[in-house]
Amino acid sequence: MKKTIVLETDYMTLGQVLKEVDVISSGGAAKWYLAENTVFVDGELENRRGRKLYAGMMLEIPEEGTFFMVKKGEPIDETE
């Protein structure tokens, strides 16, 4: 299932996104979560909680889903 995250600013950090999609309960848990779990940004393994995610990027969290970053005001394609 295709899920979107609407950016209110130019970017969000990976830690902020993990909290936004309820994978972690607090920002402090991001470092631990990324050390213990696999997360992909645009198909590449990522373990930096401060990684900036911009509109057009894709985040894959196995067991949680695939998330697409979109800028506020841009049309969202919900067809997939």
Side-chain angles (χ1 to χ4, degrees):
M1 179 178 169
K2 183 176 182 179
K3 302 172 189 172
T4 57
I5 298 172
V6 178
L7 296 171
E8 299 286 331
T9 59
D10 289 338
Y11 66 87
M12 286 179 75
T13 65
L14 180 54
Q16 290 171 320
V17 172
L18 292 174
K19 188 171 184 229
E20 176 85 16
V21 299
D22 292 325
V23 172
I24 58 174
S25 59
S26 71
K31 185 176 182 179
W32 168 84
Y33 182 85
L34 292 169
E36 300 291 323
N37 296 278
T38 303
V39 174
F40 297 96
V41 174
D42 289 337
E44 295 185 17
L45 184 63
E46 184 58 71
N47 61 6
R48 298 173 292 165
R49 65 182 176 175
R51 168 71 187 266
K52 294 177 182 177
L53 303 175
Y54 296 92
M57 296 179 91
M58 179 182 70
L59 174 67
E60 288 180 78
I61 307 170
E63 307 294 325
E64 299 294 330
T66 301
F67 303 88
F68 295 90
M69 311 301 290
V70 296
K71 187 76 174 167
K72 184 176 182 179
E74 288 183 2
I76 299 172
D77 180 13
E78 299 285 351
T79 59
E80 292 181 27

